[in-house]
Amino acid sequence: MPLVPMRLLLDHAAENDYGIAAFNVNNMEQTQAIMQAAEETDSPVILQASRGGRQYANDVYLRHLILAAAELHPRIPIAMHQDHGNSPEICLGAIEQGFTSVMMDGSLQEDGKTPSNYAFNVRVTKQVVQEAHAEGVTVEGEIGCLGGIEDGHGAGLTGDEAMKHLTDPGQAEQFVKDTGVDALAIAIGTSHGAYKFARSLPAMYW
């Protein structure tokens, strides 16, 4: 089965009341393990690459790894997704490389660290939507800022500061109308990367 846009997977999941796992991949071993699990559970998957992952593995290697997964597992629907693109150029570059889905994370400025404003987010996300949809590619947006940092991406917000950047449901609805995104990531207290606790966990004695 050829790679498919993520929207097809999401629509089928919504209609049939199940979830789809999205996995960041950087190498062959990760891809093989994910596809083995997908076969065993008869599950569609989203194989995604972060900006850092694309720099580490190289787009050409990643593309062929994921194409190999599709060829070796023809029963499993696979979407190839750009995770947390921080500019239209990053997203459009992914589309040129054959990604069937991209995330334009305009909740942060192009540095991937500074919270942006609503107008900026709409402008860059809408630009990507218009160009991606012309190629049959799904677009995920983001509104609100997640806590933590992953792969160098994220504002690193914690505590009260993170609470100020949670997603407003009404604004999220308007954002979808203003941009035409196919999927939306929201901030509800979730965090990038490993969770850090304010106090130590109890010691374990054996």
Side-chain angles (χ1 to χ4, degrees):
M1 176 180 293
L3 300 176
V4 300
M6 187 171 69
R7 179 65 185 262
L8 293 180
L9 303 186
L10 297 179
D11 285 349
H12 189 268
E15 290 167 5
N16 293 276
D17 197 27
Y18 68 91
I20 301 176
F23 302 94
N24 278 56
V25 296
N26 299 315
N27 60 39
M28 180 182 71
E29 291 79 9
Q30 292 171 339
T31 307
Q32 288 174 319
I34 292 162
M35 294 312 302
Q36 180 180 340
E39 281 283 1
E40 290 177 2
T41 59
D42 195 24
S43 302
V45 291
I46 300 165
L47 297 180
Q48 58 187 30
S50 65
R51 289 177 298 125
R54 289 175 64 193
Q55 291 170 352
Y56 166 76
N58 187 290
D59 280 344
V60 176
Y61 280 119
L62 278 174
R63 181 175 73 250
H64 284 284
L65 277 174
I66 296 174
L67 288 173
E71 182 178 341
L72 293 169
H73 304 274
R75 294 189 315 109
I76 304 297
I78 302 170
M80 182 177 175
H81 181 62
Q82 159 72 58
D83 189 28
H84 286 288
N86 64 322
S87 71
E89 290 72 28
I90 292 287
C91 293
L92 299 177
I95 293 170
E96 290 174 0
Q97 290 295 325
F99 283 68
T100 59
S101 176
V102 294
M103 179 184 191
M104 178 61 239
D105 185 357
S107 68
L108 302 174
Q109 297 283 349
E110 195 167 328
D111 63 5
K113 302 181 186 329
T114 308
S116 70
N117 58 46
Y118 184 82
F120 172 88
N121 197 352
V122 167
R123 177 173 58 80
V124 295
T125 304
K126 188 174 182 179
Q127 177 186 345
V128 172
V129 167
Q130 290 173 338
E131 300 199 41
H133 282 183
E135 301 294 332
V137 172
T138 296
V139 179
E140 177 186 11
E142 180 165 330
I143 189 164
C145 296
L146 301 182
I149 297 174
E150 181 181 38
D151 194 22
H153 189 95
L157 304 174
T158 59
D160 292 341
E161 190 62 27
M163 295 297 288
K164 295 177 186 175
H165 292 277
L166 298 182
T167 303
D168 174 82
Q171 192 176 58
E173 182 178 5
Q174 186 62 47
F175 183 78
V176 173
K177 292 176 182 177
D178 288 343
T179 61
V181 292
D182 303 285
L184 186 64
I186 58 173
I188 55 172
T190 40
S191 177
H192 282 111
Y195 284 79
K196 295 179 175 62
F197 297 91
R199 61 183 178 84
S200 300
L201 295 175
M204 301 298 288
Y205 296 95
W206 302 95

